[in-house]
Each structure stands twice: as structure tokens, then as C-alpha cells.
Amino acid sequence: MVGFRNIVYYFLLTLGFIGLTVLTQIGGFILLFAVYLNVKRIPKFWGDKAFVFILLYDTFTFLIVPIIAPIFGREPIKNTEHIKPTTFFTVLCNRNYVQPAINQALQSASETLIKEEASIQINYLDANFPFFNGFPLLPHLSHNDGKKLDLSFVYENESGQISPLQKSNSGYGIFTEPLQNEINQTQICKDNGYWQYNYSKYLTLGEINTQLSFSEKGTKLLINALLQDQEIGKLFIEPHLKQRLQLTDDRIRFHGCGAVRHDDHIHFQLL
């Protein structure tokens, strides 16, 4: 019986290590460190294992990792009054690290938007992990070098006023569908066997603020403000939105059917 319990324990520990590493990059290693400390440390109390892990994880995430990350050429996204994470989950899971040039691009875009439309807030989604080029930030295919960042669309209320709110808890998965006279790239990709193309609809974590609608004006202003920075090499949105917003910059590209649809967020990356 003891042997079976040990097997179950190490199986669950392995799952925890893998899951936390995939989700946060550092969480799996902190879990092992917490287990080691709990083995060595006495006295113990009820709930102490969780307490030790949470204390270690928060200490590393908010105090230690931001100091070490610049060695790898990355830094946390700098939050301001007009630049904020769509969800705190992004920050908590260390998915908010970028090369300094992205912070500069965000700051410049924010300053431009303040001049043109002060109510537009830049809401960012997944960026990159703090360490090591090539370490995957799942489920993304390319967020592994500090050069990529996803942004939320801009939405407006029923009166046409710009809102800082979003339509899903995760910031992903609520699509701005093509109109009847627009290219339906999603259907084209699915017809060609790319079944995964709209799977992000399962990642919403719940729909919210259903009264909001996609702001053509606000999203176009945001994209054009970003593209004033010549360090930005590519920006991905769905072809029907590029058409609808009358965007002409050559850096606005179709990302390919091998990825997922981009009519729920903007992806941009450095040269």
C-alpha cells in the first residue's frame, strides 16, 4: 500500500511539474524546491505545503525574475495608466516578458493614442516567458524569443463610446466574424483540413460584457499607432478585418492556416 501511495504521489508531482512549467516556465522548478523545503523543514502545520509554494512562487515571480530576465534580453511589460494586462493571469504566469523595443513601441503607441483618442487603453495578452529563446509559450507557435506580443481588440458600448473592457475572461476566443461580402479565411482554412484554426473559441474562460461590440475606429487607431514604429516587422489580423478597416500597411499579414484565427486579437512582432 505504501508503495502504491508513493507511485501516486510521484505521478501527481510529475504532472504538477509539467503543468506548471508549461503554464509559467518557472512554476515546476519552484514546486520541486517547495517539496524539498517541506521535507527538510520542521515543525509542519496544516496547509504548509501550499503556503510554502505560494510564498516561493510569488517571491520569484514579482521580485527575483524581473531582476534576472534582462540577462536574457527581456523585461516585463511596463504597465501605465493606458497600458495594462487584459487579465492579471498574464502577469502571474510570467507570460508578460518582451524585448525592450516592444515596451518602447507600446509607449510610443500609447502617446499617439492619447493625442488622438484619450479613452483608448492598450490591453495586452500573452507575450513571452522571461528566459531562453526557443522555450515554447503554449499554445502559441512563435512566442518564444521576446519579440512577440498579442493585444486585445478595442471595443465600444452601445452608444459608440470606447471601452477598456473585454468580451472574454481570457481575452481570446470571441471572434469578430466576417460579413457576407468579406473573405471568410476561417472557412477556407477549415475546408483545407486545418481543423485547429478556430480552436481558441474554447479558451475564453467565459464570455463577459456581451453588450460591447468591436470598435472599428478604435482598433484601426491602435493598429496605425503601433505601426508608426519601424521596429515592428509584422502584424497579424484576419484578412476580412484588414479589408474592413481599410488597412494598407504591407506589414499587416495573413499568418497562415497553420496557426489560429486572428479576429479575436492582434499579434505583432519585432523585425
Side-chain angles (χ1 to χ4, degrees):
M1 184 66 178
V2 174
F4 177 75
R5 290 181 63 182
N6 284 340
I7 291 171
V8 171
Y9 171 78
Y10 285 111
F11 175 73
L12 293 176
L13 183 62
T14 301
L15 285 182
F17 173 81
I18 294 172
L20 287 168
T21 302
V22 167
L23 190 64
T24 72
Q25 191 176 49
I26 68 170
F29 299 95
I30 293 174
L31 176 64
L32 296 183
F33 187 32
V35 169
Y36 171 79
L37 290 180
N38 274 292
V39 170
K40 296 294 184 181
R41 184 179 52 84
I42 52 175
K44 295 178 172 60
F45 56 91
W46 185 87
D48 66 341
K49 292 181 176 63
F51 174 80
V52 170
F53 171 76
I54 292 170
L55 179 63
L56 285 173
Y57 184 84
D58 287 350
T59 300
F60 273 85
T61 294
F62 297 110
L63 298 178
I64 297 175
V65 172
I67 296 173
I68 301 174
I71 298 173
F72 296 83
R74 305 183 194 184
E75 62 187 16
I77 295 174
K78 296 175 181 176
N79 298 334
T80 69
E81 183 181 354
H82 298 281
I83 303 172
K84 297 181 180 179
T86 298
T87 168
F88 185 65
F89 178 85
T90 301
V91 177
L92 184 64
C93 292
N94 298 288
R95 302 167 79 93
N96 62 321
Y97 281 80
V98 294
Q99 292 188 6
I102 286 188
N103 265 326
Q104 294 167 13
L106 289 175
Q107 183 59 43
S108 296
S110 177
E111 291 170 359
T112 298
L113 290 171
I114 290 170
K115 295 175 186 175
E116 296 181 357
E117 178 61 71
S119 61
I120 292 181
Q121 176 176 296
I122 299 177
N123 295 308
Y124 63 86
L125 298 162
D126 280 348
N128 312 263
F129 284 134
F131 310 127
F132 307 117
N133 286 344
F135 192 101
L137 186 136
L138 298 177
H140 305 279
L141 298 179
S142 65
H143 290 232
N144 60 11
D145 57 6
K147 294 183 177 182
K148 281 84 176 187
L149 177 62
D150 288 347
L151 300 179
S152 294
F153 284 158
V154 180
Y155 294 94
E156 59 188 39
N157 62 24
E158 295 164 333
S159 302
Q161 295 177 316
I162 299 294
S163 172
L165 302 177
Q166 297 299 302
K167 290 179 65 66
S168 77
N169 283 309
S170 71
Y172 292 101
I174 304 296
F175 305 123
T176 302
E177 301 282 355
L179 303 176
Q180 212 167 27
N181 63 334
E182 294 175 339
I183 183 171
N184 190 334
Q185 189 63 54
T186 299
Q187 194 59 51
I188 293 171
C189 289
K190 290 173 70 176
D191 288 345
N192 282 279
Y194 294 93
W195 57 268
Q196 88 299 333
Y197 196 68
N198 68 343
Y199 90 100
S200 48
K201 67 183 179 181
Y202 301 112
L203 303 178
T204 64
L205 302 181
E207 186 173 356
I208 54 176
N209 301 314
T210 56
Q211 78 282 4
L212 297 179
S213 59
F214 175 72
S215 174
E216 295 183 16
K217 174 187 175 184
T219 303
K220 183 174 183 178
L221 281 171
L222 172 57
I223 290 173
N224 284 333
L226 283 168
L227 291 175
Q228 289 183 22
D229 193 315
Q230 297 306 307
E231 290 294 310
I232 293 176
K234 295 178 184 178
L235 186 146
F236 297 151
I237 57 170
E238 286 295 312
H240 69 272
L241 292 180
K242 180 178 180 180
Q243 175 189 347
R244 188 184 307 178
L245 300 181
Q246 299 179 333
L247 297 165
T248 58
D249 195 300
D250 291 339
R251 291 172 292 171
I252 302 174
R253 311 277 183 84
F254 171 55
H255 40 278
C257 288
V260 296
R261 60 193 289 184
H262 281 63
D263 52 356
D264 60 341
H265 70 283
I266 299 163
H267 167 105
F268 76 92
Q269 60 191 62
L270 301 176
L271 291 168

